Amino acid sequence: DGGITQSPKYLFRKEGQNVTLSCEQNLNHDAMYWYRQDPGQGLRLIYYSQIVNDFQKGDIAEGYSVSREKKESFPLTVTSAQKNPTAFYLCASSIRAGMGLDTQYFGPGTRLTVL
Amino acid sequence: QKEVEQNSGPLSVPEGAIASLNCTYSDRVSQSFFWYRQYSGKSPELIMSIYSNGDKEDGRFTAQLNKASQYVSLLIRDSQPSDSATYLCAVGNNDMRFGAGTRLTVKP
């Protein structure tokens, strides 16, 4: 069964903690993305990766970090430097590396809440 | 100016009616256009993609693209209560930009 998985579904973070959100895909897609969604706002791009061992900052990368050591995996770390991390985080992937041209498919999301 | 604009709604239509969702975009050289449906608390799921001017139909859904007017729309025929969701418009060129979404309610 091909798809994108994200874990955990819900995550609670204390002030000053770093947390890592998992994203795995078995679609053999080259490109992977992380978005943040806040109520009433569109999706905002945090980071994207077009190929293993390479990634680029999106519009709101400050306070976040990523790695792409395997084609299937693109974890996102929310660091303590991110001042307002409470949001719904969505991972997506697309077949090719052309960011805006191919359909992006989304995982189920992780809802992060800061306590 | 927002790059991708949608009326936030809520848009309310009776069951069986046609729902019309609109989206305008600012990047004149955009090449790809997508409509996603997002149920409350869930992730977006693709409804349709469209790349050329004109209409594209898929079942009860029709996407319409007018690049000259920088406008893309989604029509949902025979609307069902299960269509009640937020509909996101996405526009792509070198990157992908998403609108904030239009919330649709279909009343039985």
Side-chain angles (χ1 to χ4, degrees):
Chain A
D1 213 12
I4 305 173
T5 57
Q6 291 185 242
S7 62
K9 185 174 181 179
Y10 298 98
L11 185 58
F12 298 91
R13 192 193 93 168
K14 294 182 180 179
E15 294 280 354
Q17 273 186 338
N18 292 355
V19 291
T20 297
L21 284 59
S22 169
C23 177
E24 304 275 335
Q25 55 97 0
N26 61 3
L27 300 168
N28 200 33
H29 285 179
D30 285 333
M32 297 185 75
Y33 316 85
W34 274 105
Y35 291 93
R36 169 181 172 144
Q37 187 175 37
D38 295 280
Q41 296 192 36
L43 277 65
R44 292 185 289 168
L45 182 66
I46 304 173
Y47 269 98
Y48 66 98
S49 170
Q50 297 178 316
I51 196 170
V52 174
N53 291 324
D54 185 57
F55 48 83
Q56 306 296 328
K57 292 182 179 180
D59 297 325
I60 56 165
E62 185 175 350
Y64 300 97
S65 66
V66 294
S67 63
R68 186 91 186 273
E69 297 176 3
K70 299 186 299 182
K71 187 175 184 177
E72 304 80 28
S73 179
F74 191 41
L76 173 74
T77 296
V78 184
T79 75
S80 57
Q82 171 48 238
K83 297 307 178 188
N84 185 23
T86 295
F88 189 40
Y89 289 86
L90 290 159
C91 179
S93 70
S94 64
I95 293 175
R96 296 175 299 180
M99 253 210 69
L101 301 180
D102 271 347
T103 301
Q104 294 185 17
Y105 298 93
F106 288 87
T110 292
R111 193 166 298 277
L112 173 63
T113 302
V114 174
L115 301 174
Chain B
Q1 182 187 6
K2 290 184 181 178
E3 293 167 296
V4 180
E5 293 209 46
Q6 297 181 253
N7 188 324
S8 63
L11 173 65
S12 182
V13 300
E15 184 174 357
I18 296 175
S20 177
L21 305 164
N22 304 316
C23 173
T24 58
Y25 59 93
S26 61
D27 185 355
R28 184 169 291 278
V29 297
S30 297
Q31 300 181 58
S32 55
F33 306 86
F34 305 88
W35 282 101
Y36 289 86
R37 177 175 61 199
Q38 187 175 24
Y39 292 113
S40 180
K42 303 296 185 182
S43 63
E45 53 181 336
L46 179 73
I47 298 175
M48 294 186 70
S49 60
I50 185 168
Y51 297 88
S52 304
N53 277 329
D55 295 359
K56 179 181 178 182
E57 187 175 319
D58 184 0
R60 295 187 297 113
F61 299 95
T62 299
Q64 299 174 317
L65 175 61
N66 184 326
K67 290 186 179 180
S69 300
Q70 296 174 238
Y71 175 92
V72 58
S73 66
L74 179 70
L75 300 178
I76 307 175
R77 290 182 299 281
D78 189 23
S79 296
Q80 301 297 309
S82 59
D83 294 327
S84 297
T86 296
Y87 290 80
L88 304 178
C89 171
V91 176
N93 186 22
N94 293 319
D95 60 9
M96 188 81 78
R97 297 290 169 175
F98 289 82
T102 297
R103 188 156 58 92
L104 172 67
T105 300
V106 181
K107 295 188 174 180

